[in-house]
Amino acid sequence: MSDIVEKTLTALPGLFLQNQSVGGPTAAKASFSSRLGGLVRGITALTSKHEEEKLIQQELNNLKATVSAPTTTLDLQSTNLVEVCMALTIVSQIFPREMIPAVLPLIEDKLQHSKEIIRRKAVLALYKFYLIAPNQVQHIHVKFRKALCDRDVGVMAASLHIYLRMIKENSSAYKDLTGSFVTILKQVVGGKLPVDFNYHSVPAPWLQIQLLRILGLLGKDDQRTSELMYDVLDESLRRAELNHNVTYAILFECVHTVYSIYPKSELLEKAAKCIGRFVLSPKINLKYLGLKALTYVIQQDPTLALQHQMTIIECLDHPDPIIKRETMNAVFSVGGDVMHPDIPNNFLRLLAEGFDDETENQQLRLYAVQSYLTLLDMENVFYPQRFLQVMSWVLGEYSYLLNKETPEEVITKLYKLLMNDSISSETKAWIIAAVTKLTPQAHSSNIVERLIQEFTTSLDTCLRQHAFELKHLHENVKLMKSLLPLDKSCEDMVVDASLSFLDGFVAEELTQGAAPYKPHHQRQEEKLSQEKVLNFEPYGLSFSSSGFTGRQSPAGISLGSDVSGNSTETGLKETNGLKLEGIKKLWGKEGYLPKKESKTGDETEAPPVPQESIMMENVDQTVAKKDPSQVPMQSKEEKEKQLLASSLFVGLGSESTINLLGKADTISHKFRRKSKIKETKSEETTTDQNIIRSSFSSSSNVTYEEDYCLDNLQDRGDKELKKFSLSSELLDSESLTELPLVEKISNCKLSAPSLFADNNMEVFHPPQATPASVANEISLAASLLEETTEHIHSDLMEVCNNEAISVSSYKIWKDDCLLVVWSVFNKSGLELKSANLEIPPAENFKITEKPGCCLPIIEAEGTKNFQYSVQMEKPFTEGNLSGFITYQVMDTHSVQLEFSVNLSLLDFIRPLKISTEDFGKLWLSFANDVKQNVKMSESQAPLHSTLKALQQELRLHVVDIIGNEGLLACQLLPSIPCLLHFRVHGDMLALWFRSSCSTLPDYLLYQCQKVMEGS
Amino acid sequence: MIKFFLMVNKQGQTRLSKYYEHVEINKRTLLETEVIKSCLSRSSEQCSFIEYKDFKLIYRQYAALFIVVGVNDTENEMAIYEFIHNFVEVLDDYFSRVLRYSAV
């Protein structure tokens, strides 16, 4: 401030009030005024409480006389600057309305005073008059303009108070001043003011704020006026770089103004971006301000607020109730269905769970109920569907808090809403649910009955269902009341989620041959596996016709079928009949064997006998579910046993998998995701065992074959065993390169055929001397690697061989596709003619041959490469790509050799390099999401190791790390993006996937879990 | 717009109050007690703005002294928050000893 005297003077009244307690230090100032000095001296001389009171009383009387209207009027005319100043202060502080006319001319005169402090005080006094008696100062508006253009900044600033007030009341009368305000603001922002006006090196912040407010009022709904201020607003936004609270205050005001005036999209965007600086700030006051600013943004254009949705969601969980409430204001005012569903969800959860303070909860709920009811009262207003859903939930839950309005009235309102055609049936379902909650509280139920009548005939199944529920509950009021208690939305009701009371019914139906229930994922899986069977069959056929050509023996054929029968899940997929059996057991498992995991795990170790016992258990339990060990019942169930008997021949593996699948279903839908981890985990282990088992059993099946074959197989089995233990440490399918088998551990479903293809080849063709083939492989690899070094690729692995050739393959993970290279090595000393590799079209894959060496001849000891680029057409975990190679040796008949490679989803995942901002945009544009909490082992340094694992194993791109959260992005080739947001809470890891593809998040989640468990 | 201005010590006693709109004396005491209670109950991690009836309270703590400003909802909270600081800086400039020893 420019004038020290003025400051001291303004502080004096405060001192007067304080002087009882101030005492000593005030003495220093005593010389300032003799009267004050006298008072101070009087106070120091005090001896008793009574004397003190007397002195104060006397002093107050003196003061009253001093500040009385006549004295003040005299003072105003004084030539003493200090006296005039004091008088003006008194006028503006305590002057009564009736006295205004008496002093008004005097004060008007003071507007022309030579001293700026007097002019300023005069303006402030007039401002006060304007506040208490606006009519009386109407005639001096012209003089205000003069004050606005005063050469002293203080006077100008004082006049802004009046202008803000006047413009608020009637902005159209002051449009012509816009230019002046803009110029002033420009000067202030440009630092043209004396440095005295700086506050922490920010030029006159409060003045800026005042000006911005005025501009906001002037530019409202007025394009022409607004255009005048775009530049200066832009500059204000730009200038506010300094990281000081007061800059944020200016910035906030600026954002407010930008959103108040006629919109300019460029400016709106800049302002919205600015808000990011607030909401992301760790300083809570700034966060608050940011949220407040967000409400302005949302009112104007909800899409601009989308980039801050994550913050909104987080702020709803903020420990400070003030922040929460501000966030809710933002949510309240959100005007569109573009809003992310999590926001209203969190909002409702917040309402339901409440804060620590119970009364505050009730107030908040009541506030919500009341505001919603008022909103519903308004005619012809259209609200977003989601908003209506939130409304109906809140009304259903908390209307009981209302004193005035009865439940009937609320129901009537909701009913009116129901009859509205513009409301979606989903919202209607919400409304009926709300009505259902209110019905037990209502005394009369005419409307409810009308509603039931109307909606039990509704064409919408969901609505009809709700209406019927209401109808039946309505008939049994007691049940209804116990079912729908007040304010219990957070407490879990105990329900029999397994629907065990229906078990008898189900068992009966099953004995009568009814088709068993298949849960959704089971049906899907079946569908998938059927597709895979289709892939498998032609392969099997051609196999026996070519591979077995030389020595076709019945044993060989039986071996083939046995092999498939025993092989893990292929058995399940083999025929329809078998599959059905499997599922029947599943039903048996569903409600009855909730904790069979460990048991089945043990059982898979044992030979087929336990299978029967498992089944028997299932069967008993269908009947006597309360006692799983109750054996005598089983005799009554011979029939079921017979029905199920054929499934004895299903491989153990398929059984255990089904058990596990079934188990998951006993857990209510809500927790399914959670149980899935367990499920997949155990699935993995059992399937691992299955692989071993299947190879063992296949070896036992061929005991009547030649000895060396058996040995060979058993050797193989042993080898696999070793590999299994190895692979349990290295789950990553890509880093595993040794043999197809190892990869198959993460991929049990499809690997079996190729495994057996391999085995069979060895049965019928004496195995090659290993060292030689290894050497070949090495040389081959060396030759191949040269051309592919720029891309990441897998190691070379042999997929099939015979006496003449050996086919190896490897994958190159190019940025834009997966390249699979098959290299055919001619081991024989003879030239191979018309060598051709063919990959028949496979489902889920798009295969394109890359032109390579086209000569159909492979010379002796020569190698030929075939390259295929593969794209995944729709996401899935693992897939098998099979093909065959044909060649002719010395013009003899053509030989065909089958092979297959295994492709995993990860082969098609590439990092998606995007910025955090793009991530935010993409995130909001994706509708499909999957959330999952994963527990991590304690040894992990959570964030770091997880990131590393995800980056390395899954090839996710780390977009950003914010505190304990990470943003990752990847894409499924060719271009399906998938985003991952994860957050570490203690030893929990919350994963959240989003993608434009509905199935991709699920598959990726599965892969992630695999990685987590592996690391 | 600022409605009132309070300086309160940690014991909850009002040391200075200034009302810019007329409030009856007995109502002032009640209002001050409630305002002070709600300010004192807040931790440093919570934000400095509270809603109280029709007002918004903006408070700032200086050692044992609280300064609370009541504003209406058109006000810019951060501007007031910094205004408090400006006020304290001015006081400190002129009466540093007074403020430190005596205002509390």
Side-chain angles (χ1 to χ4, degrees):
Chain A
M1 298 281 142
S2 56
D3 206 332
I4 288 178
V5 181
E6 188 237 9
K7 277 187 182 168
T8 321
L9 284 176
T10 35
L12 274 179
L15 264 173
F16 280 133
L17 286 176
Q18 295 281 303
N19 56 15
Q20 295 102 315
S21 56
V22 169
T26 333
K29 302 259 172 195
S31 59
F32 206 82
S33 145
S34 59
R35 228 178 65 202
L36 181 64
L39 176 67
V40 171
R41 271 191 297 281
I43 289 170
T44 35
L46 286 176
T47 52
S48 73
K49 183 95 185 154
H50 177 70
E51 263 181 56
E52 183 190 332
E53 268 169 24
K54 231 171 82 184
L55 184 76
I56 297 299
Q57 200 58 48
Q58 194 191 338
E59 184 58 30
L60 281 177
N61 287 335
N62 283 344
L63 277 175
K64 261 183 201 160
T66 321
V67 300
S68 68
T71 332
T72 317
T73 320
L74 277 177
D75 282 346
L76 276 175
Q77 289 159 319
S78 155
T79 48
N80 184 330
L81 211 63
V82 179
E83 275 177 16
V84 179
C85 271
M86 289 304 283
L88 282 171
T89 310
I90 291 163
V91 165
S92 53
Q93 297 281 348
I94 53 169
F95 227 54
R97 194 189 302 196
E98 315 80 72
M99 297 301 292
I100 293 176
V103 288
L104 197 57
L106 286 172
I107 292 174
E108 277 180 62
D109 278 351
K110 295 286 176 278
L111 287 174
Q112 266 94 54
H113 203 278
S114 59
K115 205 77 182 142
E116 63 273 4
I117 185 175
I118 305 290
R119 293 203 300 274
R120 172 145 45 114
K121 286 197 169 285
V123 171
L124 286 175
L126 288 175
Y127 171 53
K128 177 68 187 242
F129 292 168
Y130 182 81
L131 285 181
I132 56 174
N135 312 333
Q136 303 197 18
V137 287
Q138 252 169 359
H139 64 286
I140 39 176
H141 283 188
V142 192
K143 289 185 178 165
F144 291 152
R145 284 190 188 221
K146 222 169 161 192
L148 181 68
C149 304
D150 198 287
R151 60 185 182 283
D152 181 69
V153 182
V155 182
M156 180 271 292
S159 73
L160 289 182
H161 292 285
I162 304 179
Y163 275 108
L164 178 64
R165 190 81 193 182
M166 293 194 299
I167 290 170
K168 209 178 248 171
E169 275 153 24
N170 177 18
S171 66
S172 54
Y174 302 93
K175 298 275 187 193
D176 56 319
L177 283 174
T178 314
S180 318
F181 291 124
V182 169
T183 320
I184 296 171
L185 184 57
K186 251 187 200 145
Q187 285 172 359
V188 177
V189 174
K192 301 273 173 13
L193 258 50
V195 278
D196 293 347
F197 286 90
N198 282 8
Y199 171 74
H200 291 261
S201 50
V202 179
W206 294 280
L207 184 62
Q208 287 193 44
I209 288 168
Q210 194 88 338
L211 282 165
L212 285 167
R213 261 183 216 156
I214 290 174
L215 290 182
L217 291 171
L218 284 173
K220 201 172 167 64
D221 305 321
D222 183 344
Q223 188 176 1
R224 253 196 37 216
T225 316
S226 299
E227 274 166 1
L228 295 174
M229 46 185 96
Y230 288 150
D231 276 348
V232 76
L233 289 176
D234 192 42
E235 199 177 337
S236 287
L237 283 178
R238 255 188 308 112
R239 287 260 182 173
E241 298 141 341
L242 209 68
N243 202 13
H244 190 270
N245 273 340
V246 85
T247 346
Y248 285 106
I250 298 171
L251 215 52
F252 171 80
E253 208 58 54
C254 204
V255 169
H256 188 191
T257 307
V258 167
Y259 278 94
S260 311
I261 62 172
Y262 188 88
K264 185 190 182 195
S265 58
E266 191 191 314
L267 217 51
L268 293 181
E269 262 169 56
K270 266 188 196 165
K273 217 177 237 176
C274 241
I275 294 174
R277 282 168 64 187
F278 288 91
V279 285
L280 295 175
S281 165
K283 282 190 190 161
I284 189 144
N285 288 336
L286 294 183
K287 222 182 193 81
Y288 173 92
L289 222 56
L291 288 168
K292 210 176 147 188
L294 217 50
T295 47
Y296 302 137
V297 178
I298 287 169
Q299 279 158 6
Q300 178 77 238
D301 180 3
T303 49
L304 281 176
L306 290 181
Q307 51 185 313
H308 301 303
Q309 283 199 32
M310 283 298 275
T311 323
I312 294 183
I313 296 173
E314 270 160 35
C315 288
L316 277 176
D317 274 333
H318 203 278
D320 188 346
I322 300 290
I323 293 281
K324 274 187 197 168
R325 197 174 309 184
E326 197 52 50
T327 318
M328 279 186 291
N329 280 335
V331 180
F332 270 132
S333 50
V334 166
D337 284 324
V338 284
M339 181 173 48
H340 191 270
D342 265 11
I343 297 178
N345 286 350
N346 274 34
F347 170 64
L348 292 184
R349 192 164 46 85
L350 178 70
L351 265 187
E353 289 170 1
F355 313 129
D356 299 333
D357 183 1
E358 192 49 42
T359 52
E360 191 173 0
N361 282 343
Q362 300 296 5
Q363 269 171 8
L364 185 67
R365 288 169 188 164
L366 189 61
Y367 171 63
V369 169
Q370 277 165 343
S371 47
Y372 286 150
L373 281 177
T374 345
L375 287 176
L376 282 185
D377 277 341
M378 284 194 262
E379 299 283 336
N380 298 322
V381 190
F382 295 99
Y383 300 111
Q385 299 298 327
R386 266 203 198 111
F387 188 53
L388 286 173
Q389 290 165 12
V390 170
M391 258 188 209
S392 36
W393 188 86
V394 170
L395 290 179
E397 283 293 328
Y398 299 115
S399 286
Y400 73 91
L401 293 169
L402 285 173
N403 302 325
K404 275 183 281 170
E405 268 159 298
T406 60
E408 286 88 344
E409 284 173 275
V410 180
I411 291 176
T412 317
K413 280 180 186 162
L414 289 172
Y415 179 74
K416 234 193 274 170
L417 206 59
L418 262 182
M419 291 298 129
N420 192 332
D421 287 333
S422 65
I423 285 167
S424 75
S425 54
E426 191 195 349
T427 312
K428 283 188 180 172
W430 282 78
I431 299 172
I432 296 190
V435 173
T436 312
K437 284 180 208 162
L438 289 172
T439 310
Q441 300 160 35
H443 301 293
S444 77
S445 51
N446 295 334
I447 295 181
V448 177
E449 271 155 22
R450 192 142 39 108
L451 187 148
I452 291 171
Q453 222 171 25
E454 225 151 301
F455 283 93
T456 42
T457 55
S458 166
L459 285 177
D460 189 291
T461 335
C462 190
L463 285 184
R464 205 165 58 226
Q465 168 78 14
H466 274 283
F468 271 112
E469 278 168 18
L470 177 57
K471 186 183 169 193
H472 287 293
L473 285 174
H474 192 55
E475 283 159 9
N476 188 347
V477 180
K478 210 178 132 204
L479 175 69
M480 190 166 193
K481 282 193 173 158
S482 67
L483 191 65
L484 302 166
L486 286 184
D487 191 21
K488 290 281 188 294
S489 60
C490 292
E491 280 150 53
D492 287 329
M493 217 172 262
V494 183
V495 286
D496 187 353
S498 64
L499 302 179
S500 54
F501 53 89
L502 288 175
D503 290 346
F505 174 75
V506 170
E508 200 174 302
E509 288 294 308
L510 283 177
T511 51
Q512 284 168 15
Y517 172 73
K518 301 172 196 169
H520 182 66
H521 64 86
Q522 177 79 24
R523 272 171 283 170
Q524 247 184 347
E525 197 153 293
E526 245 169 61
K527 216 176 123 201
L528 277 174
S529 60
Q530 263 169 348
E531 285 162 12
K532 281 162 197 159
V533 168
L534 285 175
N535 280 348
F536 176 67
E537 268 172 355
Y539 166 47
L541 276 174
S542 55
F543 176 76
S544 51
S545 65
S546 63
F548 284 1
T549 39
R551 306 169 44 181
Q552 209 162 37
S553 68
I557 291 163
S558 77
L559 165 64
S561 65
D562 271 350
V563 156
S564 54
N566 278 322
S567 63
T568 60
E569 291 195 355
T570 36
L572 177 69
K573 289 153 202 158
E574 203 75 324
T575 67
N576 221 21
L578 275 177
K579 201 183 330 170
L580 260 173
E581 299 306 334
I583 287 137
K584 227 163 235 173
K585 279 175 284 155
L586 162 67
W587 230 116
K589 292 285 176 195
E590 192 156 33
Y592 326 117
L593 276 184
K595 288 233 159 93
K596 273 285 174 278
E597 196 180 330
S598 60
K599 199 167 181 180
T600 47
D602 292 338
E603 278 161 0
T604 42
E605 237 79 278
V609 200
Q611 249 184 333
E612 208 167 336
S613 73
I614 294 177
M615 269 173 34
M616 285 176 181
E617 256 173 50
N618 295 345
V619 169
D620 311 331
Q621 281 155 355
T622 330
V623 176
K625 60 175 184 68
K626 300 255 168 170
D627 189 357
S629 59
Q630 205 175 20
V631 188
M633 296 302 287
Q634 88 185 65
S635 59
K636 290 180 187 174
E637 297 304 324
E638 280 311 313
K639 207 177 173 187
E640 266 102 328
K641 256 197 280 176
Q642 276 170 5
L643 263 174
L644 298 169
S646 52
S647 53
L648 280 174
F649 302 107
V650 179
L652 266 173
S654 59
E655 263 232 71
S656 55
T657 343
I658 286 167
N659 293 347
L660 290 159
L661 285 172
K663 180 181 64 73
D665 278 326
T666 58
I667 300 152
S668 72
H669 179 75
K670 197 169 153 195
F671 296 113
R672 183 160 296 157
R673 285 237 185 270
K674 203 167 269 175
S675 66
K676 236 183 184 170
I677 325 171
K678 260 188 260 162
E679 187 188 316
T680 44
K681 202 191 270 174
S682 44
E683 198 171 16
E684 245 167 61
T685 51
T686 44
T687 45
D688 286 344
Q689 288 162 337
N690 290 337
I691 289 177
I692 300 156
R693 162 153 305 282
S694 56
S695 43
F696 276 142
S697 42
S698 60
S699 51
S700 64
N701 280 328
V702 286
T703 37
Y704 41 78
E705 276 286 329
E706 286 94 335
D707 274 351
Y708 77 89
C709 290
L710 175 58
D711 288 344
N712 182 358
L713 274 171
Q714 275 171 343
D715 270 350
R716 191 79 190 208
D718 286 343
K719 240 159 79 191
E720 282 153 21
L721 244 181
K722 268 182 238 146
K723 295 235 166 71
F724 161 62
S725 62
L726 213 153
S727 61
S728 61
E729 288 163 18
L730 303 160
L731 266 174
D732 172 29
S733 60
E734 281 160 59
S735 63
L736 300 175
T737 51
E738 297 190 53
L739 271 168
L741 240 187
V742 183
E743 256 193 54
K744 274 159 206 149
I745 282 164
S746 55
N747 164 27
C748 49
K749 292 183 190 169
L750 299 141
S751 57
S754 67
L755 160 66
F756 293 111
D758 226 2
N759 272 351
N760 281 315
M761 292 323 292
E762 287 182 59
V763 170
F764 293 101
H765 305 284
Q768 294 292 314
T770 1
S773 66
V774 168
N776 285 341
E777 259 183 49
I778 292 165
S779 64
L780 255 176
S783 70
L784 287 168
L785 293 190
E786 281 165 12
E787 48 181 284
T788 54
T789 36
E790 69 265 47
H791 298 292
I792 324 165
H793 55 84
S794 70
D795 287 13
L796 198 68
M797 63 188 184
E798 193 181 75
V799 287
C800 69
N801 64 42
N802 63 10
E803 74 283 334
I805 60 164
S806 149
V807 180
S808 311
S809 95
Y810 65 100
K811 303 170 188 170
I812 304 171
W813 296 291
K814 285 178 72 166
D815 288 341
D816 55 348
C817 69
L818 173 75
L819 215 59
V820 184
V821 180
W822 281 275
S823 75
V824 183
F825 176 58
N826 184 357
K827 291 184 281 191
S828 69
L830 300 163
E831 190 176 81
L832 301 180
K833 285 184 183 161
S834 32
N836 189 32
L837 187 123
E838 207 169 304
I839 309 289
E843 207 157 350
N844 298 330
F845 292 118
K846 207 177 98 193
I847 303 149
T848 337
E849 187 176 356
K850 290 265 173 177
C853 49
C854 308
L855 289 171
I857 297 165
I858 308 177
E859 8 168 291
E861 311 282 337
T863 311
K864 183 176 170 179
N865 287 338
F866 298 90
Q867 287 191 17
Y868 285 85
S869 93
V870 186
Q871 302 266 1
M872 203 176 235
E873 282 185 332
K874 65 176 187 197
F876 56 90
T877 315
E878 309 260 7
N880 215 12
L881 194 64
S882 48
F884 53 86
I885 178 158
T886 52
Y887 63 89
Q888 281 180 303
V889 191
M890 306 281 292
D891 296 329
T892 56
H893 64 282
S894 146
V895 181
Q896 191 169 356
L897 194 57
E898 304 271 348
F899 58 82
S900 71
V901 291
N902 198 46
L903 300 175
S904 126
L905 177 75
L906 292 179
D907 289 326
F908 300 92
I909 295 289
R910 298 289 178 275
L912 181 62
K913 294 196 171 76
I914 50 170
S915 67
T916 314
E917 203 182 304
D918 292 338
F919 183 95
K921 279 186 193 153
L922 276 177
W923 182 262
L924 296 166
S925 62
F926 292 158
N928 306 296
D929 66 352
V930 170
K931 280 195 213 176
Q932 172 83 63
N933 288 327
V934 184
K935 204 170 163 77
M936 291 183 295
S937 58
E938 282 169 25
S939 60
Q940 284 175 301
L943 191 68
H944 181 71
S945 67
T946 316
L947 268 178
K948 207 171 141 191
L950 291 175
Q951 197 174 9
Q952 287 179 349
E953 319 278 54
L954 299 186
R955 295 208 195 90
L956 303 182
H957 170 63
V958 179
V959 179
D960 206 352
I961 301 167
I962 307 161
N964 57 352
E965 293 170 45
L967 307 177
L968 298 125
C970 69
Q971 58 176 332
L972 174 67
L973 291 174
S975 60
I976 306 171
C978 185
L979 306 178
L980 165 62
H981 169 265
F982 78 88
R983 185 208 294 242
V984 181
H985 298 284
D987 61 343
M988 290 300 286
L989 185 69
L991 295 167
W992 189 356
F993 289 91
R994 279 221 181 156
S995 170
S996 54
C997 165
S998 58
T999 45
L1000 186 56
D1002 258 313
Y1003 287 113
L1004 267 179
L1005 173 65
Y1006 172 66
Q1007 299 288 353
C1008 267
Q1009 284 170 351
K1010 270 192 355 190
V1011 170
M1012 306 283 163
E1013 281 152 24
S1015 62
Chain B
M1 200 186 251
I2 299 178
K3 299 288 177 190
F4 60 82
F5 184 100
L6 297 175
M7 272 169 101
V8 191
N9 66 12
K10 251 191 165 165
Q11 288 78 48
Q13 293 161 302
T14 310
R15 310 314 305 184
L16 174 84
S17 68
K18 169 81 186 147
Y19 290 81
Y20 297 90
E21 258 169 22
H22 182 71
V23 181
E24 279 171 43
I25 299 288
N26 55 347
K27 282 194 181 158
R28 289 185 187 193
T29 334
L30 192 73
L31 182 125
E32 280 162 28
T33 342
E34 282 185 35
V35 164
I36 292 156
K37 212 176 92 192
S38 50
C39 288
L40 284 173
S41 67
R42 292 179 65 80
S43 72
S44 56
E45 293 96 59
Q46 295 180 307
C47 77
S48 316
F49 319 125
I50 328 169
E51 275 163 44
Y52 172 75
K53 293 189 178 160
D54 304 337
F55 306 115
K56 210 158 242 169
L57 303 176
I58 292 127
Y59 68 92
R60 226 170 152 150
Q61 190 182 0
Y62 292 92
L65 192 67
F66 277 88
I67 294 180
V68 189
V69 180
V71 297
N72 65 3
D73 59 355
T74 58
E75 200 49 75
N76 178 333
E77 287 91 346
M78 191 50 85
I80 298 295
Y81 186 71
E82 283 308 299
F83 166 74
I84 295 175
H85 191 67
N86 191 18
F87 174 77
V88 172
E89 278 180 0
V90 170
L91 284 187
D92 199 48
D93 258 10
Y94 289 95
F95 315 103
S96 52
R97 283 164 61 213
V98 181
L99 199 73
R100 251 172 236 156
Y101 299 116
S102 318
V104 177

